[in-house]
Amino acid sequence: MSEEQNSRLYNENNDYGERDYAPRKPGKKKKRKESGGHVGRRILQVLGTLLLVGLCTGAILCCFAAVYIKTVIIPEAGAVDLSQFAVGENSVMYYMDQDTGNYRELVTLAAEENAEWVNYEDIPEDLINATVAIEDRRFWEHNGVDWKRTAAAILYMFTGQDIQGGSTITQQLIKNLTQYDDVTVKRKVIEIFRALQFDKDYTKETTLEWYLNFIWLGDRCRGVGAAAMNYFGKPVQELTLAECASLISITNNPTIYGPYSDAVFTNSETGEQKTARDKNKERQELVLWSMLDQGYITQEEYDEAVAQELVFDRAAGESTPSTIYSWYEEQVISDVKDDLKAQYGYSDEAVSLLLTRGGLSIYTCVDPDVQAQVEQIYSDRTNLDYTSSSGQQLQSAITVIDNETGNLVGIAGRVGEKTGNLWMNFATDSKRQPGSSIKPLSVYAPAFEMGLISPISVLDDYPHEVMGGRPWPVNVDGRYRGLVTVRQALSNSYNTVSVRVLADLVTPENSFNFVEEHFHLDLEDGVEIGGQMKSDIGVAPLSMGGLTYGVNTRDMAEAFAVFPNGGLYQKSRTYTKVTREVDGVETVLLENQPESEAVLKSETAYYVNSILREVVTRVNTSGNFDSGMAIAGKTGTTDDKYDRWFVGYTPYYTAAVWVGFEQNERVPASGNPALKMWTLVMSGVHEGLEDRKFSEPAGLTTVTYCLDSGLLATDYCRMDPRGDRTARGTVFQGDAPTEFCTSHTAETTVTVCLDCPILDGNGEETGLYHLAGEFCPEESRQEVSLLGYQREDVGGASAEDAKYFLGVTQEAGPCTVHTTAQPDPDLPFDPNQPWDPSDPWNPNTNPLDPTGQGGGGAADPGQEDPDAPQGGETEDPSGTDPIINPETGRPYGY
């Protein structure tokens, strides 16, 4: 055979095209080829081995899969019980009439979605066929799972594409009913098991009925019943084939295909623009083609439906009026939704429909009088009429809690008339920095609880450390007062003392745990933000309220209500229970039992109440409502003035108020606008209520203590240059001091001259005096007890009490006014003038002649000199020279 023939033969039997063929060249003799049978046996051995390995591996994997399915998938893939989602009647909220104790209707819910249940027999056949044709063409044949589509979805996964597709109408319904919709393999497997069971439990007709009543069709429409009225202005039973295809097209993506969507789509290549109605028409024709292709309609029906003009009930983008819920009603809806999802695993869609058409009875905790007062103040924009430089209007939120029950009885999420639903609710949806309002919770309550301080304890209002090259922290007014009591520090919100208590006594770790466990505020223990780690476990966040995320008014009201409740924490409620009538029997779906916990000693609560009452007295909250009502509270302001707070309470109610802008800007209002809003609401809420006081636990005692040491006062404490430094304080017996003051003692007591004040650098009197000297007259002398306190310098900062330290007066030295002996007005001569014996007739130099008449002798010749030496003569024999007293340098008697 020639080389050309060999090459041709090769190409005729080769699928891969032409290639050069070269005949074997002569060379070494090749080994004899193995027989075909031997090669076959080797191949079979290899294949057998591979098959055995595969079978073993598959068996192992199957075992693992079986165990996983049994222990993980099946327990989570429990059957879906449609009876839990029974729909039909409207849901109603009720409130308790405080006068009668009976429940009255508050509002009938339409929720944020429109829904109208349509039974299967009332759904047009064209709509059912359109749904099956475009969503699940083998719906009537499969057992809840379309294995062909599922296999395709698995292929997508193994080729690196998204895990998508493959879901049947049954699976989509289950996903809508439950909240288990993670895009994971586990979710798909659970969904498959649930769908298989669901298809066994329910008919195909039931599945379609529920699916078409549950699908989201945009523009606040849940289900085809509401959507038909919304888009075409007619019951779903009256829809034409064209309208059925248009309606079911929306569910793919209401933003793209919704007739009322104002979205516009531009072709990047041609620049052509299409509206959502254009896109709806395109998809409608796809649905109609699918129906034609699958034999649901004829060509004539298809052509007629495509040609029909779609007439919608409203213009694109036009909104419809809806029920406007109060802030309280919206909060109830939100709380019930969360609890239904948590307890039953319902999806948002299922809960929304249940609230709308589930026939629920929701028993709320609202106090209509309180809520009416809240709405009256918060709907009036003139009560907080401030606008920022960028044009934002100042906002505020309030939460009011009944101390006795722990119920949330009033709430407002914004200022101004509420004209819509689902607005940003600053009372519960937004977290803001609390500033100093957190101090009672994070600093003083734990310190009191741990027995580290009492209200009469004394700490230094002075910087704690140098930070950024400057003394830190600073107080709002930029002053440092020095030694102050805890009562003064908290009531005046001194940052310095707050930092000292937390950093040196409580510790940040203990404070963080205390706030979370006792007051149930959700703090952050560590998170990365912008490449930096942030945490609330720190001195600055906990002592001055600069938290990672912040708090809301509901959190703060719940926390502060612990104090008037004597240390009892109660989780606030907006409803007590949710029921539904099933077969004539009222069934309880949610039982919202009160949750309470003793988190503070009553002694701690008493201390905080007594101090925070002084805050209110200082800021004069409407003269304590012009009555004897006990009121306590704490203000809060952030360093940047973005957030203003007042959280206050009476024996009846606790209310937390926040004021600020939606986008952070400096609050321009003078004073504290949060306090103003609090007073406007609470003064009305308490109108007509009997005056009450906070409770006092047993074991209180009153002591007289020193304001500069916190210890038992002594007489030295009353000798302070500033005046009497003693005070009467009420503490519990275990906190009463047992030692005497160490700031004012005999060692710190000195005599000063009141005629010689100590001057400052400007020549102004400081209120202190130089030490008295030997020549200072008695009437100018005064004993004072100075402060024996050693303060370590921090960044060169000065405190106002530093000038009263003992060392300051000692350094100033003795009196500079009285440097020589002063004349005695009762003496007839100047004691500073030396006696001149040579001039006996001068009364200034001759004390024996005070009359100036000349001669010697005593002033009263008939009286003996009592100071003359006994048994000796008082003058020399000549009778002219007096005898001199060697101690005074003067004649005896003078």
Side-chain angles (χ1 to χ4, degrees):
M1 185 180 292
S2 68
E3 181 174 324
E4 181 179 354
Q5 289 174 321
N6 283 334
S7 176
R8 186 166 54 249
L9 180 62
Y10 175 87
N11 288 328
E12 289 174 352
N13 294 277
N14 195 308
D15 293 334
Y16 297 97
E18 296 182 358
R19 84 175 189 180
D20 293 336
Y21 178 80
R24 186 184 305 278
K25 294 182 180 180
K28 292 183 178 180
K29 185 178 180 180
K30 291 190 65 179
K31 293 182 178 179
R32 185 174 59 86
K33 291 184 178 179
E34 295 180 346
S35 66
H38 187 70
V39 172
R41 284 195 299 271
R42 283 184 174 274
I43 292 174
L44 290 175
Q45 287 176 348
V46 172
L47 291 177
T49 302
L50 292 176
L51 179 60
L52 182 61
V53 171
L55 289 173
C56 292
T57 303
I60 293 173
L61 292 176
C62 286
C63 290
F64 278 118
V67 172
Y68 180 75
I69 290 172
K70 181 178 180 180
T71 59
V72 177
I73 300 298
I74 292 178
E76 292 191 31
V80 177
D81 184 4
L82 290 182
S83 66
Q84 296 180 340
F85 302 94
V87 293
E89 298 296 327
N90 289 330
S91 296
V92 179
M93 285 187 192
Y94 299 91
Y95 73 93
M96 180 178 287
D97 186 322
Q98 301 298 320
D99 295 329
T100 65
N102 298 324
Y103 279 99
R104 298 183 180 275
E105 182 173 333
L106 179 64
V107 65
T108 298
L109 295 186
E112 67 272 16
E113 303 170 359
N114 293 322
E116 181 180 336
W117 190 267
V118 184
N119 294 325
Y120 181 82
E121 55 269 21
D122 296 323
I123 301 174
E125 184 178 0
D126 285 336
L127 183 55
I128 291 173
N129 292 336
T131 302
V132 172
I134 196 65
E135 294 293 333
D136 187 2
R137 63 186 302 157
R138 284 179 287 275
F139 171 76
W140 297 105
E141 304 161 11
H142 62 62
N143 58 352
V145 177
D146 188 332
W147 295 109
K148 291 183 179 180
R149 296 177 67 185
T150 300
I154 294 174
L155 181 61
Y156 291 149
M157 178 185 71
F158 281 110
T159 56
Q161 301 180 57
D162 292 338
I163 305 173
Q164 59 183 353
S167 293
T168 62
I169 287 176
T170 310
Q171 289 171 281
Q172 292 181 53
L173 172 60
I174 292 171
K175 186 174 69 173
N176 288 339
L177 288 173
T178 66
Q179 61 181 356
Y180 197 77
D181 57 358
D182 299 332
V183 184
T184 62
V185 174
K186 177 183 176 182
R187 192 274 294 178
K188 277 291 185 183
V189 175
I190 290 177
E191 186 181 276
I192 288 171
F193 273 82
R194 283 179 167 174
L196 293 172
Q197 184 62 46
F198 190 93
D199 199 71
K200 291 180 181 179
D201 295 338
Y202 299 100
T203 66
K204 295 289 187 180
E205 290 77 9
T206 299
T207 301
L208 272 174
E209 177 182 333
W210 278 78
Y211 176 78
L212 290 173
N213 279 286
F214 253 85
I215 55 175
W216 175 247
L217 290 163
D219 200 49
R220 300 177 57 249
C221 293
R222 175 71 59 188
V224 295
M229 292 298 300
N230 183 56
Y231 292 116
F232 297 106
K234 62 176 73 171
V236 68
Q237 298 92 324
E238 300 177 11
L239 294 181
T240 66
L241 170 61
E243 291 167 342
C244 286
S246 172
L247 191 68
I248 203 62
S249 296
I250 300 171
T251 189
N252 184 266
N253 190 325
T255 301
I256 297 175
Y257 303 109
Y260 298 153
S261 171
D262 55 6
V264 177
F265 308 91
T266 303
N267 188 305
S268 59
E269 296 181 358
T270 65
E272 179 187 6
Q273 289 189 331
K274 292 185 178 181
T275 66
R277 292 194 176 185
D278 296 330
K279 302 292 286 185
N280 177 269
K281 179 60 179 173
E282 289 179 355
R283 186 162 179 83
Q284 177 229 27
E285 293 182 5
L286 174 62
V287 172
L288 290 170
W289 181 89
S290 297
M291 295 177 71
L292 174 64
D293 180 61
Q294 296 172 44
Y296 287 112
I297 57 175
T298 65
Q299 183 67 50
E300 182 181 357
E301 291 173 320
Y302 170 81
D303 294 337
E304 183 180 343
V306 169
Q308 180 184 329
E309 179 185 1
L310 296 173
V311 180
F312 298 105
D313 202 44
R314 302 199 317 268
E318 182 183 347
S319 61
T320 57
S322 59
T323 301
I324 305 301
Y325 296 107
S326 71
W327 289 111
Y328 197 98
E329 291 159 358
E330 271 197 338
Q331 192 59 50
V332 174
I333 292 172
S334 176
D335 290 350
V336 170
K337 271 188 172 183
D338 290 343
D339 291 346
L340 284 172
K341 289 192 293 184
Q343 185 161 333
Y344 296 101
Y346 294 164
S347 66
D348 287 330
E349 291 83 358
V351 169
S352 294
L353 186 59
L354 194 58
L355 279 168
T356 307
R357 301 288 294 166
L360 304 183
S361 295
I362 304 171
Y363 298 89
T364 72
C365 299
V366 67
D367 184 321
D369 294 334
V370 174
Q371 183 63 22
Q373 177 68 14
V374 169
E375 292 179 3
Q376 177 184 338
I377 300 302
Y378 270 77
S379 63
D380 187 351
R381 166 52 66 180
T382 62
N383 288 325
L384 204 65
D385 196 10
Y386 295 91
T387 303
S388 73
S389 57
S390 68
Q392 293 189 87
Q393 288 188 309
L394 192 60
Q395 280 299 338
S396 179
I398 186 173
T399 299
V400 184
I401 288 178
D402 184 318
N403 294 335
E404 183 177 356
T405 62
N407 292 338
L408 194 161
V409 292
I411 191 171
R414 302 175 76 98
V415 178
E417 184 182 357
K418 191 174 187 295
T419 58
N421 295 326
L422 300 179
W423 286 0
M424 165 66 80
N425 184 335
F426 290 110
T428 55
D429 297 337
S430 175
K431 290 192 172 185
R432 298 294 174 132
Q433 298 304 328
S436 294
S437 64
I438 201 173
K439 291 176 181 177
L441 309 176
S442 59
V443 178
Y444 294 99
F448 288 139
E449 190 77 2
M450 298 163 69
L452 301 174
I453 59 172
S454 77
I456 66 174
S457 298
V458 171
L459 291 101
D460 208 353
D461 174 18
Y462 189 70
H464 185 259
E465 59 190 280
V466 174
M467 186 178 293
R470 305 182 64 181
W472 180 87
V474 295
N475 292 319
V476 174
D477 57 7
R479 297 166 54 195
Y480 299 115
R481 293 156 186 80
L483 297 173
V484 296
T485 65
V486 165
R487 181 177 294 277
Q488 291 172 291
L490 175 53
S491 63
N492 292 280
S493 200
Y494 297 154
N495 292 331
T496 51
V497 177
S498 178
V499 166
R500 288 181 178 278
V501 172
L502 189 131
D504 299 338
L505 301 177
V506 176
T507 76
E509 292 77 12
N510 286 333
S511 173
F512 179 90
N513 294 332
F514 194 93
V515 171
E516 283 208 321
E517 295 170 6
H518 292 69
F519 296 112
H520 299 276
L521 296 185
D522 186 16
L523 304 182
E524 180 55 59
D525 60 0
V527 63
E528 185 175 347
I529 300 177
Q532 293 184 336
M533 288 301 299
K534 301 287 186 180
S535 173
D536 292 333
I537 306 176
V539 174
L542 292 169
S543 64
M544 294 189 291
L547 303 176
T548 304
Y549 295 116
V551 294
N552 61 44
T553 61
R554 187 173 184 176
D555 294 336
M556 292 295 276
E558 287 178 348
F560 268 75
V562 170
F563 302 128
N565 282 333
L568 185 70
Y569 173 86
Q570 299 183 92
K571 184 174 177 59
S572 66
R573 303 180 299 169
T574 57
Y575 73 94
T576 58
K577 64 179 178 179
V578 176
T579 66
R580 185 182 66 205
E581 187 174 312
V582 179
D583 298 330
V585 179
E586 189 173 39
T587 303
V588 177
L589 288 183
L590 294 174
E591 185 79 32
N592 197 9
Q593 294 286 355
E595 296 181 22
S596 60
E597 176 187 3
V599 296
L600 293 181
K601 293 183 289 190
S602 58
E603 292 85 349
T604 298
Y606 171 81
Y607 280 156
V608 174
N609 291 339
S610 66
I611 297 175
L612 295 189
R613 285 199 66 182
E614 296 184 8
V615 175
V616 172
T617 301
R618 180 168 51 83
V619 298
N620 189 26
T621 306
S622 186
N624 284 16
F625 304 149
D626 297 322
S627 70
M629 184 72 71
I631 304 176
K634 183 70 183 73
T635 58
T637 304
T638 55
D639 290 341
D640 45 29
K641 304 297 189 294
Y642 288 164
D643 303 285
R644 308 298 295 272
W645 287 81
F646 186 75
V647 189
Y649 52 90
T650 70
Y652 292 98
Y653 298 102
T654 298
V657 175
W658 165 84
V659 168
F661 290 105
E662 185 165 353
Q663 303 299 322
N664 281 335
E665 288 189 68
R666 188 183 181 91
V667 174
S670 60
N672 189 334
L675 174 62
K676 172 188 174 182
M677 298 297 284
W678 187 95
T679 303
L680 288 172
V681 171
M682 294 290 272
S683 58
V685 167
H686 286 79
E687 187 174 345
L689 294 180
E690 180 184 355
D691 291 344
R692 285 185 184 176
K693 306 298 181 185
F694 298 122
S695 61
E696 290 189 5
L700 288 167
T701 185
T702 301
V703 297
T704 302
Y705 66 99
C706 175
L707 293 170
D708 297 301
S709 67
L711 302 177
L712 294 174
T714 68
D715 287 339
Y716 293 114
C717 303
R718 299 179 176 87
M719 297 165 59
D720 190 284
R722 295 165 288 180
D724 190 348
R725 296 293 293 167
T726 67
R728 299 276 288 172
T730 301
V731 294
F732 291 94
Q733 293 176 352
D735 295 326
T738 57
E739 299 179 0
F740 289 98
C741 176
T742 56
S743 292
H744 303 98
T745 64
E747 288 73 18
T748 66
T749 301
V750 296
T751 303
V752 297
C753 180
L754 302 180
D755 296 332
C756 188
I758 297 175
L759 307 180
D760 61 18
N762 298 321
E764 302 291 335
E765 293 187 3
T766 63
L768 295 175
Y769 300 91
H770 286 264
L771 296 170
E774 62 175 317
F775 299 115
C776 295
E778 288 299 324
E779 63 271 17
S780 298
R781 292 170 175 263
Q782 181 179 356
E783 273 196 313
V784 295
S785 189
L786 300 168
L787 290 174
Y789 181 74
Q790 297 294 323
R791 175 177 289 134
E792 182 179 351
D793 178 78
V794 176
S798 60
E800 295 172 2
D801 68 350
K803 61 186 179 182
Y804 300 106
F805 288 2
L806 175 63
V808 173
T809 300
Q810 290 176 331
E811 290 176 7
C815 174
T816 59
V817 174
H818 306 108
T819 58
T820 58
Q822 300 299 309
D824 187 343
D826 295 331
L827 293 177
F829 61 90
D830 183 356
N832 293 316
Q833 293 293 329
W835 178 57
D836 185 2
S838 65
D839 188 11
W841 304 106
N842 185 343
N844 289 327
T845 63
N846 187 356
L848 299 182
D849 187 20
T851 62
Q853 302 299 317
D860 183 0
Q863 180 179 356
E864 293 186 358
D865 185 354
D867 294 328
Q870 298 297 318
E873 296 179 342
T874 61
E875 51 185 45
D876 63 13
S878 65
T880 59
D881 295 328
I883 298 176
I884 304 303
N885 185 332
E887 293 182 4
T888 64
R890 295 290 183 183
Y892 282 104
Y894 297 93

